[in-house]
Amino acid sequence: MENIKQHITNLRNELREHNYNYYVLDTPTISDYDFDVKLKALQELEDKHPEFYDANSPTQRVGGAVTKNFETVKHEYRMYSLDNSYSKDDLLDWEKRIKKMVDGDVAYTCELKYDGASISLTYENGQLVKAVTRGDGFQGDDVTANIKTIKSVPLQLKGDYPPKFDIRGEIILPFDGFNKMNEERLANGEELYRNPRNTASGSLKLQDSAEVAKRPLECLLYNLTGTNLGVTTQFESLEKARSWGFKVPDAAVLATSVDDVVAFVNHWDTKRHELPYETDGIVIKVNNLQQQEELGYTAKAPRWAMAYKFKAEQVTTVLNEITYQVGRTGAITPVANLEPVELAGTTVKRASIHNADQIEKLDIRERDTVFVEKGGEIIPKIIGVDVAKRPANSQPTVYISHCPECETELVRTAGDAKHYCPNYNGCKPQIIGRIQHYISRKAMDIEGLGGETVALLVNEGLISNYSDLYELTKAQVIPLERMAEKSADNLINGIKASVAIPFERVLYAIGIRYVGETVAKKLAKHYKSIHNLMEASQEDLEQVDEIGVKIAESVTQFFASEENIVTINRLLEFGVQLSISEEDLKGQTDLLKGQSIVVSGVFEHVSRTELKKLIEDNGGKVSSSISSKTNFVVAGDKMGPSKKDKAERLGVALISEIEFLQKINHTF
Ligand code: AMP
Ligand code: ZN
């Protein structure tokens, strides 16, 4: 028995090494045939001896697990987006901002920006335990079974890896593999995949992992996250990750000035066309991790990193027709319907034109030859007209005056770039759009109900606003197209379950114009219940941190509508969370109300992130740099001397971690 176990272990180690040589180093040392023979031998042994099962055995790479619903997992460390820059001046501005916030010289790591789907991998004791998509940055989908089939993702690490860490990377589909997949589809008469990026990201959410295993996906890594990682710079962490068995492209270089960075950009702007996969720019990161920590994050992105986007590709084509779309807020968006044209690897048929001003400014007309540009994943846009090619009888575009859906006269308020259809309760796309927003993932996240079904329900006259959802019965939905017993049950249950969604998300879901996720959070925290919010006057609202006139106006307008009040009251009746629960209120105080606090250095009892959360939970505001408005600085170990000087000069008090924790009655 010991013998068999040893044999299995040896085979696994050997196959692992071959996988690594082939998929990470691109230098195989045995033939595919020999590899398959060994893999088959291992598979047979494992089948005979299930007691030696190992979820990370090389045999698991072929997939087979089927996931119906991907579990939502909260990221231990948030997955941020990146700020973009487009010129040397942008980079110089960024450097200036950085140098204000940290001491000493700043060096940068320059990396390629891989264009695929981001992924976060968690390793414990050298074993892959979890792979989660970015999702909304706070939480994503657990796609571990699918990721395990990607051969360049190590299931077992080697070397001196830390006991627990997350590593972030990009799942990409190299051009070669993408083209092969499309050749196969062509041969089978199937519709072709549009581009490698979308195909890679779509692959992660396939239900059958064996299907994923067949796709030539790769995983390129770029960031280590966690504590006690034993590295002090970004560049070092790339090298370490590589030594543990990860695929980390070796294009990365260290730069000590913006000029160096620009040289790297220029080099890759042409060279990138020789790469086996798509890149849409480069990423520049402050190299020193201690400096990264001091710089911290804005609401969306790290302050210590910057993407540099390569100049977008451009083509010309003929604009056949301008049509108009009505959004859920009633906003009208003109859409350019183009003569199909190839652009950056995809066929473009439509482009957005934003608003009437844009049409006027560029003098865009039907039958014009237009310049179309595409950058990253943004939908292509028209950036100009080739006037020389304009037909002789061309007429300036006359913007529509009435809603294309309900024929109501459009309005345009001063200061607003868009026209709106004011028919709030009678315009179909608005009614449907609002309910679609209500059920969407970041809002009420109603499982079993999709956007198309919402449209169907509205068109069948079964619902006309989101509160109607809660009165739907199974008998009503079963007759709908493509509904079955099971899906009807799921739909009704999904709606029922949504009453547990916390207040801040409900506030976002009800669709008050200008109240996005962040504002909804702010308002929920400040007012604690919809009742308090309804009572709030315009002036009162404007007093709330970061709530301006526009939002305040929109909120009061929303609650001034009789119809909205009726809808809200019905939500209340159905048990939807319209106030903050006891649970959420725990640990929240006003002890630091109105105070602006800076955090600097390294702490002993709580992490920097926890410290910031404590400040916010107690009503304070975390600010990134010291100014005369700063109330005090929580100073940890290794606080930078320039920050210290500044605090002294401005007479801002420094308090220790312990003093701070005592101040807010925090036990530790
Ligand atoms: P964006 O989606 O344009 O905000 O860009 C941010 C994304 O770029 C991140 O979420 C990553 O998935 C991706 N990315 C690609 N390459 C890198 C890299 N070398 N370093 C950091 N992020 C990268
Ligand atoms: Zn309308």
Side-chain angles (χ1 to χ4, degrees):
M1 213 50 177
E2 259 319 294
N3 250 339
I4 291 172
K5 188 173 174 193
Q6 192 56 49
H7 189 42
I8 289 181
T9 307
N10 290 346
L11 266 175
R12 282 177 183 161
N13 287 340
E14 199 187 334
L15 287 165
R16 226 168 246 143
E17 198 57 28
H18 288 310
N19 251 328
Y20 174 74
N21 289 338
Y22 189 100
Y23 292 102
V24 179
L25 301 181
D26 294 325
T27 46
T29 53
I30 64 168
S31 71
D32 290 1
Y33 176 79
D34 290 341
F35 182 89
D36 289 343
V37 169
K38 284 183 198 287
L39 187 68
K40 209 159 159 230
L42 175 59
Q43 185 69 64
E44 275 165 13
L45 279 172
E46 287 183 349
D47 288 347
K48 251 190 249 156
H49 298 278
E51 66 272 27
F52 301 132
Y53 172 82
D54 175 358
N56 283 337
S57 165
T59 52
Q60 302 298 308
R61 299 275 196 195
V62 295
V66 174
T67 316
K68 278 268 177 286
N69 288 304
F70 294 95
E71 197 191 331
T72 308
V73 181
K74 207 169 163 324
H75 294 298
E76 190 175 344
Y77 302 92
R78 183 172 156 193
M79 288 181 86
Y80 285 87
S81 181
L82 289 172
D83 283 333
N84 287 322
S85 60
Y86 301 90
S87 68
K88 182 174 174 182
D89 280 346
D90 289 351
L91 291 174
L92 287 169
D93 284 347
W94 177 53
E95 178 167 68
K96 219 183 273 162
R97 291 199 298 277
I98 289 177
K99 292 206 162 159
K100 266 194 209 140
M101 292 178 65
V102 299
D103 297 300
D105 291 337
V106 180
Y108 306 96
T109 303
C110 304
E111 299 165 33
L112 297 175
K113 187 167 186 294
Y114 323 113
D115 201 13
S118 32
I119 193 83
S120 180
L121 308 174
T122 302
Y123 283 83
E124 276 172 26
N125 302 316
Q127 304 261 338
L128 174 69
V129 293
K130 200 156 260 175
V132 184
T133 61
R134 173 155 112 180
D136 63 1
F138 296 97
Q139 52 182 35
D141 290 320
D142 183 336
V143 291
T144 314
N146 285 346
I147 293 298
K148 275 189 179 178
T149 68
I150 301 174
K151 316 292 188 299
S152 51
V153 173
L155 302 180
Q156 165 73 55
L157 302 181
K158 47 189 187 180
D160 60 343
Y161 49 80
K164 183 175 188 306
F165 65 94
D166 283 1
I167 186 163
R168 266 87 194 254
E170 201 82 358
I171 305 293
I172 53 126
L173 189 52
F175 293 121
D176 253 6
F178 174 74
N179 292 337
K180 271 201 201 103
M181 283 172 69
N182 262 348
E183 276 161 27
E184 229 167 83
R185 286 181 82 83
L186 194 65
N188 295 334
E190 292 163 315
E191 199 182 328
L192 299 188
Y193 293 116
R194 293 172 65 85
N195 60 43
R197 177 212 171 96
N198 291 352
T199 315
S201 102
S203 303
L204 299 189
K205 299 294 287 291
L206 291 177
Q207 296 191 336
D208 182 359
S209 60
E211 218 27 67
V212 186
K214 287 188 204 148
R215 300 193 173 183
L217 299 162
E218 281 189 26
C219 181
L220 308 178
L221 286 310
Y222 54 70
N223 251 73
L224 282 183
T225 315
T227 48
N228 300 323
L229 300 173
V231 287
T232 58
T233 68
Q234 166 66 11
F235 198 78
E236 196 186 336
S237 68
L238 293 179
E239 289 180 322
K240 275 286 178 200
R242 198 176 289 128
S243 78
W244 301 332
F246 291 104
K247 187 155 192 164
V248 179
D250 55 13
V253 300
L254 263 180
T256 52
S257 67
V258 167
D259 280 328
D260 284 357
V261 173
V262 172
F264 184 84
V265 169
N266 291 340
H267 174 75
W268 284 105
D269 199 1
T270 39
K271 268 281 189 217
R272 69 185 157 122
H273 299 294
E274 293 167 26
L275 285 169
Y277 44 78
E278 232 167 343
T279 49
D280 57 342
I282 69 162
V283 184
I284 308 126
K285 298 172 188 167
V286 169
N287 192 40
N288 183 315
L289 299 185
Q290 169 74 34
Q291 287 180 333
Q292 285 193 2
E293 170 119 357
E294 280 191 36
L295 288 163
Y297 299 82
T298 65
K300 291 215 169 69
R303 287 201 189 81
W304 46 263
M306 185 58 86
Y308 187 105
K309 290 283 173 89
F310 291 130
K311 218 169 147 27
E313 289 173 54
Q314 237 186 47
V315 286
T316 58
T317 188
V318 172
L319 164 59
N320 289 328
E321 191 192 4
I322 297 175
T323 53
Y324 299 85
Q325 266 176 359
V326 187
R328 76 175 159 89
T329 58
I332 308 292
T333 307
V335 178
N337 297 269
L338 307 167
E339 194 55 37
V341 62
E342 279 299 304
L343 176 57
T346 61
T347 308
V348 175
K349 296 183 191 124
R350 287 149 67 89
S352 77
I353 327 185
H354 302 305
N355 53 47
D357 287 348
Q358 189 71 5
I359 292 183
E360 202 173 321
K361 194 172 119 207
L362 300 177
D363 188 16
I364 302 173
R365 308 178 183 188
E366 290 181 349
R367 305 302 310 157
D368 266 350
T369 295
V370 291
F371 296 100
V372 184
E373 189 177 283
K374 190 173 175 213
E377 65 177 330
I378 320 152
I379 40 168
K381 55 182 181 200
I382 293 189
I383 55 156
V385 173
D386 189 348
V387 186
K389 296 206 178 130
R390 179 167 279 167
N393 59 353
S394 164
Q395 293 295 316
T397 299
V398 180
Y399 206 78
I400 50 167
S401 57
H402 290 76
C403 176
E405 299 281 344
C406 72
E407 275 149 35
T408 306
E409 190 170 353
L410 300 179
V411 295
R412 187 180 192 185
T413 38
D416 219 328
K418 292 213 168 220
H419 286 71
Y420 285 87
C421 165
N423 188 6
Y424 187 82
N425 291 308
C427 184
K428 271 269 174 74
Q430 296 190 52
I431 295 170
I432 294 172
R434 271 198 302 272
I435 305 175
Q436 285 173 336
H437 169 74
Y438 184 83
I439 66 158
S440 66
R441 185 164 164 160
K442 289 179 180 174
M444 302 301 273
D445 193 18
I446 298 187
E447 260 183 56
L449 177 57
E452 278 175 36
T453 309
V454 167
L456 215 56
L457 289 167
V458 172
N459 288 328
E460 293 290 319
L462 290 172
I463 57 173
S464 61
N465 68 54
Y466 40 73
S467 71
D468 294 339
L469 288 170
Y470 297 92
E471 280 189 330
L472 276 178
T473 62
K474 195 171 153 188
Q476 283 177 309
V477 296
I478 280 195
L480 294 180
E481 221 177 291
R482 272 185 277 138
M483 264 299 159
E485 185 84 15
K486 184 91 191 300
S487 40
D489 275 334
N490 286 347
L491 188 155
I492 301 290
N493 290 337
I495 294 171
K496 265 199 204 127
S498 74
V499 301
I501 296 290
F503 176 47
E504 57 182 43
R505 277 173 58 188
V506 179
L507 200 49
Y508 167 66
I510 59 177
I512 305 173
R513 199 193 285 179
Y514 306 129
V515 177
E517 273 176 290
T518 319
V519 172
K521 262 189 203 153
K522 287 243 152 72
L523 290 174
K525 201 163 166 182
H526 187 90
Y527 287 102
K528 306 206 165 46
S529 75
I530 199 110
H531 189 75
N532 293 341
L533 182 62
M534 279 185 197
E535 306 264 279
S537 67
Q538 169 106 15
E539 295 74 46
D540 192 35
L541 280 157
E542 282 174 40
Q543 295 307 308
V544 181
D545 192 34
E546 283 173 51
I547 305 295
V549 187
K550 209 161 99 173
I551 299 174
E553 230 172 54
S554 166
V555 171
T556 46
Q557 251 173 35
F558 183 89
F559 291 116
S561 142
E562 190 65 36
E563 303 245 4
N564 285 338
I565 300 291
V566 172
T567 306
I568 298 289
N569 281 333
R570 294 188 68 212
L571 290 182
L572 257 175
E573 245 174 72
F574 297 125
V576 173
Q577 304 293 313
L578 290 168
S579 56
I580 290 186
S581 67
E582 291 297 319
E583 189 66 21
D584 297 334
L585 283 173
K586 253 186 225 157
Q588 306 244 350
T589 77
D590 278 342
L591 286 169
L592 303 173
K593 194 171 172 168
Q595 307 207 30
S596 168
I597 299 159
V598 171
V599 171
S600 180
V602 185
F603 301 93
E604 193 182 336
H605 298 283
V606 291
S607 72
R608 231 176 139 91
T609 321
E610 279 167 323
L611 196 59
K612 290 183 178 169
K613 183 165 183 313
L614 284 172
I615 292 174
E616 281 169 1
D617 283 351
N618 287 285
K621 195 179 154 197
V622 182
S623 171
S624 57
S625 61
I626 301 173
S627 75
S628 57
K629 293 205 190 92
T630 308
N631 291 77
F632 60 87
V633 179
V634 188
D637 208 21
K638 296 196 189 135
M639 175 177 174
S642 76
K643 268 196 180 159
K644 220 172 214 163
D645 281 353
K646 189 159 185 197
E648 259 163 37
R649 235 182 317 121
L650 297 172
V652 175
L654 300 184
I655 74 169
S656 73
E657 177 183 7
I658 306 276
E659 280 172 311
F660 173 76
L661 295 175
Q662 282 165 348
K663 199 181 181 85
I664 57 165
N665 307 319
H666 186 75
T667 43
F668 52 91

